[in-house]
Amino acid sequence: MSTQFDQVSVIKKANVYFDGKCISHTVLFADGNKKTIGVIFPSSLVFNTAAAEIMEINAGLCRIRLAGNSEWQSYGAGQEFHVPANSSFEIETSELLDYVCHFIA
């Protein structure tokens, strides 16, 4: 996993979800790719997806359950999970979660 992104544009306005429990910034790449970099404060949330996503965990711990699954999976720093397009996932964090969301075209 890369520790930085070079030659990008960043949208200054923050994306604030769930009354401030999730805050991110959008990063735009010259090739048209888009990512968000953010944090999720301790909480239990449900995210809906339009595009497929890869959630890369930089720091912290979480449990996730993909739509249609009964099992929870745990992830921590250096790990990632994949979410299909037009789907959803539940996420539980008991500490600050630092992440990068990679949108798959």
Side-chain angles (χ1 to χ4, degrees):
M1 287 187 230
S2 176
T3 59
Q4 70 181 39
F5 299 121
D6 296 321
Q7 301 178 6
V8 298
S9 297
V10 176
I11 304 299
K12 291 184 345 182
K13 183 172 175 32
N15 306 306
V16 180
Y17 303 103
F18 305 106
D19 296 322
K21 293 180 181 132
C22 178
I23 301 171
S24 67
H25 283 274
T26 302
V27 180
L28 304 171
F29 292 76
D31 65 3
N33 283 324
K34 178 176 89 167
K35 303 180 188 311
T36 57
I37 298 175
V39 294
I40 300 174
F41 292 91
S43 55
S44 295
L45 307 172
V46 177
F47 286 90
N48 295 305
T49 63
E53 302 176 0
I54 298 171
M55 290 288 289
E56 174 187 339
I57 310 303
N58 293 322
L61 298 169
C62 68
R63 289 182 350 130
I64 68 110
R65 181 167 56 186
L66 297 173
N69 290 358
S70 59
E71 299 292 320
W72 287 87
Q73 300 291 321
S74 295
Y75 295 90
Q79 296 183 303
E80 63 184 36
F81 61 91
H82 297 244
V83 184
N86 303 310
S87 186
S88 65
F89 67 96
E90 297 173 70
I91 187 165
E92 293 181 351
T93 60
S94 58
E95 60 185 67
L96 185 72
L97 186 77
D98 178 3
Y99 72 89
V100 177
C101 179
H102 306 262
F103 296 95
I104 311 301

